[in-house]
Amino acid sequence: MYKMMTPGPTMVAENVRKARSMETGNPDLDMEFYDFYKETCQLYSSLLHTENESLILSGEGILGLEAAVASLTEPGDRVLVLDNGVFGKGFADFVSLYGGEPVLYTADYRIALEAEPLRKFLEQDSDFKYATVVHCDTPSGMLNDISTICPLLKEFGILTVVDSVSGMFGNEVRVDDWGIDILCGGSQKAISCPVGLTLVTISSAAKKAMADRKTRIASFYANLYIFKDYDKDKWFPYTMPISDICGLRQALENLKADKDRLKRHEEVARRTREALVRSGLKLYADNGYSNTVTVFTIPEGITAEQLLSVMRKDYNIMLAGSFDVLAGEVIRIGHMGYNCTEENMKETLQALNGALEKLGVKLKAALAY
Ligand SMILES: *Cc1c(COP(=O)(O)O)cnc(C)c1O
Protein backbone atom coordinates (compact mmCIF):
# COMPACT_ATOMS: atom_id res chain seq x y z
CA MET A 1 0.00 0.00 0.00
CA TYR A 2 1.10 3.61 -0.48
CA LYS A 3 1.22 6.23 2.24
CA MET A 4 -1.90 8.33 1.92
CA MET A 5 -0.99 11.89 2.94
CA THR A 6 -4.19 13.31 1.50
CA PRO A 7 -6.68 15.61 3.23
CA GLY A 8 -9.08 12.69 3.53
CA PRO A 9 -9.58 9.88 3.36
CA THR A 10 -6.86 9.34 5.91
CA MET A 11 -5.04 6.22 7.02
CA VAL A 12 -6.83 3.98 9.48
CA ALA A 13 -5.40 2.59 12.72
CA GLU A 14 -5.15 -1.16 13.06
CA ASN A 15 -7.46 -1.29 16.08
CA VAL A 16 -10.14 0.52 14.04
CA ARG A 17 -9.81 -1.97 11.19
CA LYS A 18 -10.05 -4.82 13.69
CA ALA A 19 -13.12 -3.34 15.37
CA ARG A 20 -14.82 -3.26 11.98
CA SER A 21 -14.17 -6.94 11.43
CA MET A 22 -15.76 -8.22 14.65
CA GLU A 23 -18.80 -10.43 14.58
CA THR A 24 -21.95 -8.31 14.99
CA GLY A 25 -25.60 -8.69 15.95
CA ASN A 26 -28.70 -7.37 14.20
CA PRO A 27 -28.69 -3.57 14.48
CA ASP A 28 -32.46 -3.32 13.96
CA LEU A 29 -33.55 -5.91 16.48
CA ASP A 30 -30.79 -6.01 19.08
CA MET A 31 -31.78 -3.57 21.83
CA GLU A 32 -28.18 -3.38 23.03
CA PHE A 33 -27.19 -1.85 19.72
CA TYR A 34 -29.43 1.17 20.47
CA ASP A 35 -27.41 1.75 23.62
CA PHE A 36 -24.15 1.27 21.76
CA TYR A 37 -25.23 3.74 19.08
CA LYS A 38 -26.36 6.29 21.65
CA GLU A 39 -23.20 5.98 23.75
CA THR A 40 -21.08 6.40 20.64
CA CYS A 41 -23.01 9.56 19.77
CA GLN A 42 -22.55 10.84 23.32
CA LEU A 43 -18.81 10.20 23.16
CA TYR A 44 -18.66 12.17 19.92
CA SER A 45 -20.64 15.05 21.47
CA SER A 46 -18.36 15.14 24.50
CA LEU A 47 -15.24 15.33 22.32
CA LEU A 48 -16.77 18.40 20.67
CA HIS A 49 -17.71 19.96 23.99
CA THR A 50 -21.44 19.89 23.57
CA GLU A 51 -24.57 18.79 25.36
CA ASN A 52 -26.31 18.64 21.99
CA GLU A 53 -27.46 15.33 20.64
CA SER A 54 -25.39 13.78 17.88
CA LEU A 55 -26.48 11.35 15.20
CA ILE A 56 -24.45 8.98 13.08
CA LEU A 57 -25.83 8.65 9.56
CA SER A 58 -24.98 6.04 7.00
CA GLY A 59 -23.44 8.03 4.19
CA GLU A 60 -20.35 10.02 3.35
CA GLY A 61 -19.71 13.56 4.72
CA ILE A 62 -21.76 15.19 2.01
CA LEU A 63 -24.90 13.53 3.39
CA GLY A 64 -24.49 15.47 6.65
CA LEU A 65 -24.34 18.78 4.77
CA GLU A 66 -27.36 17.90 2.65
CA ALA A 67 -29.29 16.60 5.67
CA ALA A 68 -28.70 19.83 7.60
CA VAL A 69 -29.96 21.90 4.68
CA ALA A 70 -32.85 19.55 3.83
CA SER A 71 -34.03 19.49 7.44
CA LEU A 72 -33.92 23.26 8.00
CA THR A 73 -34.92 24.72 4.63
CA GLU A 74 -38.51 25.45 3.70
CA PRO A 75 -39.46 26.87 0.31
CA GLY A 76 -38.74 30.59 0.26
CA ASP A 77 -36.43 30.61 3.29
CA ARG A 78 -33.54 33.03 2.97
CA VAL A 79 -30.23 31.40 3.85
CA LEU A 80 -26.92 33.20 4.24
CA VAL A 81 -24.12 31.24 2.56
CA LEU A 82 -20.69 32.37 3.70
CA ASP A 83 -18.42 31.80 0.75
CA ASN A 84 -14.65 32.00 0.91
CA GLY A 85 -13.96 28.62 -0.58
CA VAL A 86 -15.28 25.86 -2.79
CA PHE A 87 -17.24 24.05 -0.08
CA GLY A 88 -18.46 27.35 1.30
CA LYS A 89 -20.03 28.28 -2.01
CA GLY A 90 -21.28 24.74 -2.56
CA PHE A 91 -23.88 25.10 0.19
CA ALA A 92 -25.85 27.42 -2.11
CA ASP A 93 -26.68 24.49 -4.41
CA PHE A 94 -28.17 22.46 -1.58
CA VAL A 95 -30.20 25.45 -0.39
CA SER A 96 -31.67 25.98 -3.88
CA LEU A 97 -32.34 22.28 -4.27
CA TYR A 98 -34.60 22.37 -1.21
CA GLY A 99 -36.42 25.50 -2.33
CA GLY A 100 -34.54 28.03 -0.22
CA GLU A 101 -33.13 31.32 -1.41
CA PRO A 102 -29.35 31.30 -0.92
CA VAL A 103 -27.78 34.71 -0.38
CA LEU A 104 -24.05 34.51 -1.02
CA TYR A 105 -21.67 36.51 1.13
CA THR A 106 -18.53 36.13 -0.94
CA ALA A 107 -15.12 37.06 0.45
CA ASP A 108 -11.49 36.64 -0.61
CA TYR A 109 -10.59 32.94 -0.96
CA ARG A 110 -7.10 33.56 0.42
CA ILE A 111 -8.21 35.23 3.65
CA ALA A 112 -10.15 33.79 6.59
CA LEU A 113 -13.64 35.27 7.03
CA GLU A 114 -13.44 38.52 8.94
CA ALA A 115 -15.97 39.40 11.60
CA GLU A 116 -16.14 43.18 11.14
CA PRO A 117 -17.19 43.34 7.47
CA LEU A 118 -19.66 40.54 8.16
CA ARG A 119 -21.10 42.52 11.06
CA LYS A 120 -21.57 45.54 8.78
CA PHE A 121 -23.33 43.33 6.26
CA LEU A 122 -25.61 41.86 8.94
CA GLU A 123 -26.48 45.29 10.26
CA GLN A 124 -28.00 45.96 6.82
CA ASP A 125 -29.61 42.56 6.34
CA SER A 126 -29.98 39.81 8.90
CA ASP A 127 -33.27 38.29 7.82
CA PHE A 128 -31.95 34.75 7.43
CA LYS A 129 -33.28 31.53 8.87
CA TYR A 130 -29.79 30.13 9.11
CA ALA A 131 -26.29 30.62 7.80
CA THR A 132 -23.78 28.11 6.52
CA VAL A 133 -20.07 28.35 7.17
CA VAL A 134 -17.20 26.01 6.46
CA HIS A 135 -14.66 25.58 9.24
CA CYS A 136 -11.85 24.18 7.11
CA ASP A 137 -12.45 24.65 3.39
CA THR A 138 -10.31 21.71 2.31
CA PRO A 139 -9.61 22.56 -1.37
CA SER A 140 -7.70 25.66 -0.23
CA GLY A 141 -6.92 24.62 3.37
CA MET A 142 -8.68 27.77 4.56
CA LEU A 143 -9.57 27.75 8.26
CA ASN A 144 -12.36 30.09 9.29
CA ASP A 145 -12.52 31.25 12.87
CA ILE A 146 -15.90 29.84 13.80
CA SER A 147 -15.33 30.89 17.41
CA THR A 148 -16.07 34.47 16.34
CA ILE A 149 -18.22 33.97 13.22
CA CYS A 150 -20.86 31.73 14.85
CA PRO A 151 -21.44 33.89 17.95
CA LEU A 152 -21.74 36.90 15.64
CA LEU A 153 -24.45 35.17 13.58
CA LYS A 154 -26.24 34.15 16.78
CA GLU A 155 -26.17 37.78 17.91
CA PHE A 156 -28.38 38.50 14.91
CA GLY A 157 -30.68 35.58 15.70
CA ILE A 158 -29.41 33.41 12.85
CA LEU A 159 -29.04 29.65 13.24
CA THR A 160 -25.60 28.31 12.33
CA VAL A 161 -24.74 25.29 10.20
CA VAL A 162 -21.02 24.48 10.24
CA ASP A 163 -19.16 22.07 7.98
CA SER A 164 -16.17 20.97 10.01
CA VAL A 165 -15.74 17.67 8.19
CA SER A 166 -12.03 18.31 7.66
CA GLY A 167 -11.54 20.77 10.52
CA MET A 168 -12.61 18.95 13.65
CA PHE A 169 -10.19 17.01 15.84
CA GLY A 170 -7.18 18.70 14.24
CA ASN A 171 -8.48 22.15 15.11
CA GLU A 172 -10.40 22.89 18.26
CA VAL A 173 -14.20 22.85 18.07
CA ARG A 174 -16.38 23.93 21.00
CA VAL A 175 -19.95 23.56 19.84
CA ASP A 176 -21.74 24.99 22.88
CA ASP A 177 -19.34 27.85 23.62
CA TRP A 178 -19.46 29.00 20.01
CA GLY A 179 -23.18 28.52 19.34
CA ILE A 180 -23.08 25.95 16.55
CA ASP A 181 -26.61 24.70 15.85
CA ILE A 182 -25.75 21.94 13.41
CA LEU A 183 -22.18 20.71 13.13
CA CYS A 184 -21.33 18.36 10.28
CA GLY A 185 -18.50 15.85 10.44
CA GLY A 186 -17.35 12.82 8.49
CA SER A 187 -15.62 9.58 9.37
CA GLN A 188 -12.81 9.73 6.83
CA LYS A 189 -10.97 12.91 7.83
CA ALA A 190 -9.31 13.46 11.24
CA ILE A 191 -11.47 10.78 12.83
CA SER A 192 -9.42 8.39 10.69
CA CYS A 193 -12.08 5.86 9.86
CA PRO A 194 -12.78 4.63 6.37
CA VAL A 195 -15.29 6.55 4.27
CA GLY A 196 -18.96 5.92 4.90
CA LEU A 197 -20.31 7.75 7.93
CA THR A 198 -21.36 11.31 8.57
CA LEU A 199 -22.03 12.77 11.99
CA VAL A 200 -24.19 15.71 12.96
CA THR A 201 -24.72 17.46 16.29
CA ILE A 202 -28.06 19.24 16.56
CA SER A 203 -28.98 21.99 19.03
CA SER A 204 -32.42 22.33 20.56
CA ALA A 205 -32.93 25.54 18.55
CA ALA A 206 -32.28 23.62 15.35
CA LYS A 207 -34.65 20.86 16.45
CA LYS A 208 -37.29 23.47 17.19
CA ALA A 209 -36.84 24.96 13.72
CA MET A 210 -37.48 21.49 12.28
CA ALA A 211 -40.49 20.91 14.53
CA ASP A 212 -41.98 24.30 13.60
CA ARG A 213 -41.87 23.70 9.86
CA LYS A 214 -45.07 24.22 7.95
CA THR A 215 -43.96 21.99 5.11
CA ARG A 216 -42.58 18.46 5.22
CA ILE A 217 -38.88 17.80 4.93
CA ALA A 218 -38.44 16.96 1.26
CA SER A 219 -36.28 13.92 1.84
CA PHE A 220 -36.34 10.69 3.77
CA TYR A 221 -32.68 9.76 3.84
CA ALA A 222 -31.55 13.33 4.55
CA ASN A 223 -34.21 13.96 7.20
CA LEU A 224 -32.66 14.57 10.62
CA TYR A 225 -35.99 15.05 12.34
CA ILE A 226 -37.01 11.49 11.58
CA PHE A 227 -34.50 10.31 14.23
CA LYS A 228 -36.35 12.26 16.90
CA ASP A 229 -37.61 9.28 18.92
CA TYR A 230 -35.27 6.57 17.71
CA ASP A 231 -34.13 5.61 21.20
CA LYS A 232 -37.58 5.65 22.79
CA ASP A 233 -39.18 3.73 19.93
CA LYS A 234 -36.12 1.53 19.26
CA TRP A 235 -36.45 2.30 15.60
CA PHE A 236 -33.96 3.57 13.01
CA PRO A 237 -35.22 4.88 9.66
CA TYR A 238 -32.90 2.41 7.94
CA THR A 239 -30.64 -0.41 9.03
CA MET A 240 -27.55 1.05 10.62
CA PRO A 241 -24.12 0.01 9.29
CA ILE A 242 -23.11 -1.71 12.49
CA SER A 243 -19.55 -2.64 11.51
CA ASP A 244 -18.78 0.91 10.43
CA ILE A 245 -20.11 2.16 13.75
CA CYS A 246 -17.96 -0.36 15.69
CA GLY A 247 -14.94 1.05 13.86
CA LEU A 248 -16.07 4.60 14.56
CA ARG A 249 -16.42 3.84 18.26
CA GLN A 250 -12.82 2.62 18.40
CA ALA A 251 -11.61 5.66 16.44
CA LEU A 252 -13.41 8.00 18.87
CA GLU A 253 -11.87 6.13 21.82
CA ASN A 254 -8.49 6.64 20.16
CA LEU A 255 -9.16 10.38 19.84
CA LYS A 256 -10.23 10.59 23.46
CA ALA A 257 -7.07 8.83 24.67
CA ASP A 258 -4.80 11.01 22.53
CA LYS A 259 -4.29 13.91 24.92
CA ASP A 260 -1.69 15.74 22.80
CA ARG A 261 -3.78 15.58 19.64
CA LEU A 262 -4.46 19.28 19.13
CA LYS A 263 -0.95 20.32 20.11
CA ARG A 264 0.54 17.80 17.70
CA HIS A 265 -1.67 18.96 14.82
CA GLU A 266 -0.72 22.55 15.53
CA GLU A 267 2.98 21.75 15.58
CA VAL A 268 3.05 19.46 12.53
CA ALA A 269 1.09 22.02 10.51
CA ARG A 270 3.29 24.92 11.59
CA ARG A 271 6.54 23.09 10.91
CA THR A 272 5.24 21.94 7.51
CA ARG A 273 4.40 25.50 6.52
CA GLU A 274 7.75 26.76 7.80
CA ALA A 275 9.61 24.12 5.77
CA LEU A 276 7.70 25.02 2.60
CA VAL A 277 8.29 28.74 3.05
CA ARG A 278 12.02 28.25 3.81
CA SER A 279 12.37 26.33 0.56
CA GLY A 280 10.79 29.18 -1.40
CA LEU A 281 7.48 27.44 -2.13
CA LYS A 282 4.40 29.59 -1.81
CA LEU A 283 1.49 28.83 0.48
CA TYR A 284 -1.86 29.30 -1.24
CA ALA A 285 -3.54 31.36 1.47
CA ASP A 286 -2.42 34.58 3.15
CA ASN A 287 -3.79 33.53 6.55
CA GLY A 288 -6.27 31.08 8.05
CA TYR A 289 -4.07 28.00 7.93
CA SER A 290 -5.71 24.82 9.09
CA ASN A 291 -3.84 22.35 11.26
CA THR A 292 -5.19 19.52 9.13
CA VAL A 293 -4.03 20.38 5.62
CA THR A 294 -1.31 22.48 3.99
CA VAL A 295 -1.82 23.87 0.51
CA PHE A 296 0.92 25.29 -1.68
CA THR A 297 1.01 26.74 -5.16
CA ILE A 298 2.51 24.67 -7.98
CA PRO A 299 5.99 26.05 -8.70
CA GLU A 300 6.61 27.37 -12.17
CA GLY A 301 7.68 24.96 -14.88
CA ILE A 302 5.88 21.87 -13.64
CA THR A 303 2.29 20.66 -13.42
CA ALA A 304 0.41 19.31 -10.44
CA GLU A 305 -0.04 16.04 -12.29
CA GLN A 306 3.72 15.60 -12.75
CA LEU A 307 4.48 16.24 -9.11
CA LEU A 308 1.72 13.95 -7.84
CA SER A 309 2.82 11.23 -10.20
CA VAL A 310 6.51 11.32 -9.16
CA MET A 311 5.51 11.34 -5.50
CA ARG A 312 3.34 8.33 -6.04
CA LYS A 313 5.58 6.31 -8.35
CA ASP A 314 9.01 7.04 -6.89
CA TYR A 315 8.19 7.62 -3.24
CA ASN A 316 5.00 5.67 -2.72
CA ILE A 317 3.27 8.68 -1.18
CA MET A 318 -0.05 10.02 -2.35
CA LEU A 319 -0.64 13.76 -2.10
CA ALA A 320 -3.67 15.52 -3.54
CA GLY A 321 -4.21 18.17 -6.17
CA SER A 322 -7.34 20.23 -5.85
CA PHE A 323 -10.55 20.86 -7.77
CA ASP A 324 -13.03 23.43 -8.97
CA VAL A 325 -11.39 26.88 -9.23
CA LEU A 326 -8.19 25.46 -7.75
CA ALA A 327 -7.79 22.51 -10.14
CA GLY A 328 -4.18 22.29 -11.31
CA GLU A 329 -3.16 25.30 -9.21
CA VAL A 330 -2.15 23.78 -5.89
CA ILE A 331 -0.95 20.67 -4.10
CA ARG A 332 -2.46 19.60 -0.80
CA ILE A 333 -0.69 17.71 1.96
CA GLY A 334 -3.06 16.16 4.47
CA HIS A 335 -1.76 15.87 8.01
CA MET A 336 -4.80 15.00 10.04
CA GLY A 337 -5.81 12.30 12.45
CA TYR A 338 -3.78 9.14 12.28
CA ASN A 339 -1.60 10.68 9.53
CA CYS A 340 -0.50 13.57 11.67
CA THR A 341 2.86 12.48 13.04
CA GLU A 342 6.31 13.98 12.91
CA GLU A 343 7.55 10.77 11.26
CA ASN A 344 5.02 10.92 8.44
CA MET A 345 5.74 14.57 7.74
CA LYS A 346 9.51 14.03 7.80
CA GLU A 347 9.15 11.31 5.19
CA THR A 348 6.69 13.32 3.12
CA LEU A 349 8.80 16.47 3.00
CA GLN A 350 11.94 14.51 2.20
CA ALA A 351 10.11 12.80 -0.65
CA LEU A 352 8.69 16.09 -1.87
CA ASN A 353 12.18 17.54 -1.90
CA GLY A 354 13.40 14.64 -4.02
CA ALA A 355 10.44 14.81 -6.37
CA LEU A 356 10.85 18.54 -6.98
CA GLU A 357 14.57 18.04 -7.60
CA LYS A 358 13.85 15.31 -10.15
CA LEU A 359 11.46 17.65 -11.93
CA GLY A 360 14.13 20.34 -12.08
CA VAL A 361 12.60 22.77 -9.59
CA LYS A 362 15.25 24.87 -7.83
CA LEU A 363 14.52 25.38 -4.14
CA LYS A 364 16.05 28.06 -1.91
CA ALA A 365 16.66 25.44 0.77
CA ALA A 366 16.10 21.72 0.95
CA LEU A 367 12.66 20.78 2.23
CA ALA A 368 13.09 19.32 5.68
CA TYR A 369 10.84 19.01 8.68
C1 LIG B 1 -14.26 15.91 2.76
C2 LIG B 1 -15.18 17.00 2.98
C3 LIG B 1 -16.55 16.83 2.86
C4 LIG B 1 -17.12 15.52 2.44
O1 LIG B 1 -17.11 15.42 1.06
P1 LIG B 1 -16.19 14.63 0.06
O2 LIG B 1 -17.14 13.89 -0.80
O3 LIG B 1 -15.29 13.70 0.83
O4 LIG B 1 -15.43 15.64 -0.70
C5 LIG B 1 -17.37 17.90 3.11
N1 LIG B 1 -16.86 19.11 3.47
C6 LIG B 1 -15.55 19.31 3.58
C7 LIG B 1 -15.04 20.66 3.97
C8 LIG B 1 -14.66 18.27 3.33
O5 LIG B 1 -13.35 18.46 3.45
Side-chain angles (χ1 to χ4, degrees):
M1 217 14 212
Y2 48 86
K3 197 178 273 270
M4 196 158 59
M5 295 300 285
T6 51
T10 47
M11 294 183 289
V12 177
E14 190 182 4
N15 67 357
V16 172
R17 291 203 306 273
K18 284 200 168 136
R20 285 162 54 86
S21 69
M22 299 303 282
E23 204 172 0
T24 58
N26 181 321
D28 287 324
L29 303 179
D30 184 342
M31 293 305 126
E32 280 172 29
F33 178 71
Y34 288 87
D35 295 333
F36 182 78
Y37 177 93
K38 194 172 176 184
E39 286 160 15
T40 306
C41 291
Q42 284 166 343
L43 173 58
Y44 178 74
S45 288
S46 73
L47 290 168
L48 294 163
H49 309 282
T50 179
E51 302 281 318
N52 292 347
E53 183 181 21
S54 292
L55 296 172
I56 305 161
L57 312 181
S58 177
E60 195 269 342
I62 292 290
L63 174 65
L65 315 188
E66 178 162 356
V69 172
S71 302
L72 288 177
T73 314
E74 289 195 81
D77 281 343
R78 294 181 82 233
V79 177
L80 181 62
V81 175
L82 301 182
D83 160 33
N84 69 332
V86 172
F87 277 97
K89 185 175 192 173
F91 265 111
D93 291 336
F94 284 134
V95 172
S96 311
L97 201 57
Y98 288 94
E101 186 199 320
V103 175
L104 279 172
Y105 175 90
T106 300
D108 195 325
Y109 276 30
R110 290 175 192 260
I111 297 173
L113 285 170
E114 291 175 323
E116 274 322 298
L118 178 59
R119 176 184 291 284
K120 293 224 162 62
F121 173 89
L122 291 170
E123 279 164 0
Q124 301 300 313
D125 184 5
S126 60
D127 178 23
F128 302 104
K129 183 174 199 176
Y130 67 96
T132 61
V133 54
V134 177
H135 187 202
C136 170
D137 212 308
T138 331
S140 56
M142 173 54 65
L143 188 79
N144 286 311
D145 179 7
I146 51 174
S147 78
T148 57
I149 299 297
C150 291
L152 173 60
L153 292 161
K154 298 297 284 184
E155 232 183 89
F156 286 85
I158 301 167
L159 293 171
T160 57
V161 171
V162 174
D163 170 357
S164 184
V165 174
S166 70
M168 59 172 60
F169 300 122
N171 302 284
E172 186 165 47
V173 177
R174 306 191 73 89
V175 170
D176 290 353
D177 292 348
W178 301 345
I180 302 170
D181 289 298
I182 298 187
L183 178 76
C184 303
S187 56
Q188 83 276 28
K189 304 285 166 79
I191 296 177
S192 290
C193 267
V195 187
L197 297 176
T198 186
L199 301 106
V200 286
T201 71
I202 313 167
S203 72
S204 48
K207 284 184 187 171
K208 182 168 186 311
M210 294 175 207
D212 290 349
R213 290 175 61 114
K214 295 186 183 63
T215 57
R216 291 175 70 190
I217 293 172
S219 173
F220 180 83
Y221 217 65
N223 182 340
L224 296 175
Y225 199 61
I226 214 168
F227 282 81
K228 170 165 75 79
D229 296 319
Y230 82 84
D231 189 38
K232 181 158 73 65
D233 299 345
K234 305 298 178 211
W235 176 85
F236 285 116
Y238 45 82
T239 304
M240 281 291 148
I242 185 168
S243 296
D244 291 349
I245 294 173
C246 290
L248 174 71
R249 176 62 167 266
Q250 183 60 57
L252 294 176
E253 299 285 1
N254 291 352
L255 288 174
K256 185 180 174 183
D258 183 2
K259 300 294 178 207
D260 295 329
R261 171 169 42 85
L262 287 176
K263 222 176 85 212
R264 186 173 65 255
H265 277 81
E266 193 276 324
E267 178 167 328
V268 166
R270 179 175 46 76
R271 289 181 61 177
T272 300
R273 290 194 302 273
E274 285 169 2
L276 293 173
V277 169
R278 265 198 313 273
S279 78
L281 291 169
K282 197 178 168 319
L283 299 175
Y284 171 75
D286 296 340
N287 66 20
Y289 305 113
S290 175
N291 292 335
T292 52
V293 52
T294 294
V295 183
F296 66 91
T297 307
I298 298 287
E300 243 167 77
I302 64 165
T303 66
E305 227 167 278
Q306 286 173 320
L307 184 52
L308 295 173
S309 149
V310 174
M311 283 295 287
R312 182 65 209 285
K313 287 209 185 91
D314 297 359
Y315 298 94
N316 211 29
I317 295 177
M318 179 186 272
L319 299 181
S322 197
F323 50 91
D324 204 285
V325 293
L326 289 170
E329 301 287 319
V330 296
I331 295 287
R332 299 182 296 160
I333 309 172
H335 35 74
M336 59 176 90
Y338 193 59
N339 291 20
C340 182
T341 64
E342 183 169 327
E343 228 170 57
N344 279 339
M345 267 328 296
K346 255 186 195 151
E347 187 186 334
T348 303
L349 288 177
Q350 210 168 39
L352 192 56
N353 190 69
L356 287 165
E357 208 164 73
K358 279 188 195 187
L359 290 168
V361 175
K362 293 253 176 306
L363 295 176
K364 278 202 303 201
L367 267 169
Y369 188 78

